[in-house]
Structure formats: C-alpha cells, structure tokens
Amino acid sequence: MKMKLIINGKEKGLECEKVSDLLNKLRLNKDIVAVELNKSIVHRQNFDDTKLKDNDKLEIITVVGGG
Amino acid sequence: MNDGKLKIGKFEFNSRLIIGTGKYANFDIMKKAHEASGAEVVTVAIRRVNFNNKEENILEHIDKNKMTILPNTAGCYTAEEAIRTARLAKEVGLPKWVKLEVIGDQKTLMPDNEETLKAAKVLVKEGFTVLPYTNDDIVACKKFEGAGAAAVMPLGAPIGSGQGILNPNNIKIIIENAKVPIIVDAGVGTASDATIAMELGADGVLLNTGVALAKYPIRMAKAMKLAVESGRDAFLAGRIPKKLYASASSPVEGVVR
C-alpha cells in the first residue's frame, strides 16, 4: 500500500516499509547518505529495522562540493 | 628548517593549505587541482539529495587515502541548523570535525558570531573538533577559543570576494594572542594573498573560489601551494625590519673611480 512521505520537503507517494526499502526505491547508495526521520537521525545500522508510516517527514542528505 | 605539522585537535597535517570542492567546472579539474595543491584537507558541504539530478557523488572524486574531508555548515543561518548539519555530516561517515559556519547576512555572507558560538558550545560538548569561521575580530576569536574550538578561522575578506587580507593588523593581533591554530579562511584571491596570511604567522589558509574559478585552476592550485609554503618559510625566517632610507648591499669602500 502506498503511503504519503514528505521527503526533503516534497510529498511523495511510495510503497515502502522501512528506511532501507525507501533508499532502494530511490536508488540511493546508503553509504553516501544520512537520514533524519521526523528530525531524529536514523543511524545507518538501523536503516533495515526502522519502519515508516504515513506522513513521516524525512531528510535525506549527502555530500556536495563546498568551501 | 624543521617546521612542525599543522595540528588541529587530534588531526595532523604536513600541508597548511585547506582547499574547497565547490564551483569547479568539473570533477576532473577539481581532482587535478587538489593534487597540484598538495592539500591534505578538503572541505565539502552537506545538502539534501537532489532526486532530479543524479550525477556522480563528489566523494568518488576525492582521494580518501591522501585527503581528510572537512564538512562545513555553509548556508546555515541558525545555530540549530548548523548543529543539525554537523551531526548529519558525521552520520554520512565523515570524520567528527566541522568547519562551523553560521551566516548572518545574505549579501556579505558575514558570520553571525552569536549563533556560531552557540553551535560551537553544543558541538564541542558532543565531541566534535570544531573550527569556527568568524570575523577578523580578536574578541570573537577569543570567545571561540574559550568555547573549546580546536582552531579559529577568521576571514581575510568576504567569502568568494577574492579581495585578499583586508585587515592584516587584525589578523596579526589574533595570531599573536591565540593559543589554538589560526587559519585564515575566505577572501584569498591569488597566491600573494595566501603568502601574506602565512607571513603574518597564520597556521594555515583555507580557500576555494580563488582556485576553482581561476582561469586555469590546476596552475592556480600549484601557485597556492607554493605561496603557502613561501609565506610560512618567510614567517619562520624572520623578516628584516622596514627602514625609511636605503642601506647599500655592496661594500661602500673600494669602488673604482
């Protein structure tokens, strides 16, 4: 079943149970991202057992060029 | 002469140049410029993943055997945002240190020292090695030192402006009174700017735009490497005092007449 997630400020309808499912669906390499779920950090080792629910707010960040 | 390493908290480096990863035309030029610079520390920024633009990640273009990655909190306008960004950077797997930057004005990118100090205190407590970016102001620098910053990074001139070291006297005063390394950050437009910072006694120089947007970034990176080394050597060598009048270098006796 699809649920509503707010990812990086944008609403997305996705079918995924856990954080790791979401990253797979978005084709993101888990080694180069960090995830906040409702403003709390989800550690990489917990991606597999952190469940998502309707209306969850996620921040998925990575490293970019900067000074 | 044996010049010690640049020590920032538990980090140690032979090179005193810290270089950015922003604004390069492409990753290939960036990588070559990094090599030419001899830098052992590169700064990066932390941003939301861009789902519309799936280009390669910058981490694939940084030689992690040679470089230590220093995340920044650029773009943050509050202590809370900066703290969040630093924590996320650690979570991506970067070393537990941060170029702490909290901006207070959009046009000048001048730092908000009050917010930066708040963030510094929290992050120091959490065990981060904190390198705050601040004004060329002795009072601000002392406050950061007191808050446990491992190094303090006063600006030479506004970020990306390339104006050089606008107030060398202020930088000198900061250096003379500091117990932690002082790294001049921002404003370095060309090699001589980096040399001036090092001649003043700075422990290092951090720059990005001066190399990334130079017409030939790889050559400028090499120039910056030599400039930092020259400035450091000149500082350690001890310059002669300035005199108003000339003093002949050749013997004044025995001139053929």
Side-chain angles (χ1 to χ4, degrees):
Chain A
M1 200 187 73
K2 270 194 181 181
M3 58 182 162
K4 190 178 97 183
L5 296 171
I6 296 127
I7 303 170
N8 293 352
K10 280 189 184 147
E11 207 179 294
K12 280 185 197 282
L14 284 164
E15 212 171 310
C16 48
E17 197 188 339
K18 300 165 193 161
V19 170
S20 50
D21 301 334
L22 174 66
L23 297 179
N24 286 337
K25 207 145 252 185
L26 296 170
R27 294 187 186 178
L28 294 174
N29 174 358
K30 70 171 170 48
D31 295 327
I32 54 165
V33 300
V35 177
E36 258 185 18
L37 173 58
N38 302 321
K39 290 212 171 175
S40 298
I41 284 174
V42 181
H43 299 298
R44 194 170 287 158
Q45 65 269 28
N46 299 331
F47 285 173
D48 275 336
D49 43 45
T50 302
K51 290 197 172 177
L52 296 170
K53 59 180 191 319
D54 218 22
N55 285 317
D56 269 345
K57 279 191 184 142
L58 289 124
E59 288 288 331
I60 306 176
I61 65 90
T62 190
V63 177
V64 300
Chain B
M1 191 185 298
N2 180 23
D3 182 12
K5 293 184 175 202
L6 171 61
K7 289 181 188 159
I8 305 169
K10 61 180 183 343
F11 299 86
E12 281 190 16
F13 306 101
N14 292 309
S15 164
R16 291 176 179 272
L17 175 60
I18 300 177
I19 197 162
T21 57
K23 299 182 183 172
Y24 283 92
N26 58 58
F27 286 142
D28 184 51
I29 291 176
M30 180 190 81
K31 206 170 175 182
K32 286 178 179 150
H34 284 173
E35 269 171 38
S37 76
E40 293 167 325
V41 182
V42 288
T43 56
V44 296
I46 302 299
R47 289 291 178 271
R48 284 172 160 175
V49 168
N50 182 354
F51 299 108
N52 303 320
N53 178 16
K54 288 255 173 119
E55 64 169 23
E56 289 171 281
N57 191 276
I58 196 159
L59 292 174
E60 291 156 34
H61 299 274
I62 297 171
D63 185 346
K64 283 166 220 84
N65 296 319
K66 287 189 195 152
M67 302 285 197
T68 303
I69 300 176
L70 173 61
N72 70 29
T73 62
C76 292
Y77 279 78
T78 64
E80 195 200 335
E81 285 171 7
I83 293 163
R84 228 173 134 188
T85 303
R87 288 174 181 158
L88 284 166
K90 188 199 126 218
E91 217 50 41
V92 185
L94 301 184
K96 198 173 176 182
W97 66 337
V98 63
K99 171 184 159 173
L100 184 62
E101 184 177 337
V102 184
I103 300 300
D105 179 65
Q106 226 162 13
K107 202 165 181 179
T108 60
L109 298 179
M110 283 292 173
D112 182 332
N113 287 326
E114 207 182 323
E115 289 295 304
T116 312
L117 192 61
K118 256 195 255 174
K121 285 176 182 166
V122 173
L123 291 169
V124 165
K125 212 176 233 177
E126 290 182 16
F128 280 85
T129 298
V130 177
L131 294 76
Y133 156 75
T134 186
N135 302 86
D136 54 355
D137 170 0
I138 178 73
V139 180
C141 290
K142 277 187 164 177
K143 283 186 184 176
F144 286 114
E145 198 179 293
V152 180
M153 309 208 289
L155 54 82
I159 296 171
S161 71
Q163 292 183 53
I165 313 302
L166 289 184
N167 198 329
N169 292 347
N170 275 5
I171 298 288
K172 182 90 188 155
I173 288 167
I174 290 165
I175 291 164
E176 285 192 350
N177 290 282
K179 291 183 196 73
V180 297
I182 298 298
I183 295 164
V184 172
D185 177 5
V188 173
T190 189
S192 54
D193 298 336
T195 303
I196 287 168
M198 296 306 292
E199 283 177 349
L200 290 169
D203 296 278
V205 168
L206 191 160
L207 60 91
N208 183 0
T209 310
V211 165
L213 294 189
K215 195 167 178 190
Y216 300 107
I218 301 162
R219 180 158 278 207
M220 186 59 91
K222 179 188 158 212
M224 291 297 186
K225 173 188 195 283
L226 298 174
V228 168
E229 289 172 3
S230 285
R232 180 67 180 171
D233 274 337
F235 169 70
L236 293 174
R239 63 152 299 145
I240 58 159
K242 289 182 185 178
K243 285 187 284 194
L244 186 58
Y245 294 100
S247 158
S249 301
S250 309
V252 287
E253 300 296 316
V255 178
V256 179
R257 300 217 189 260

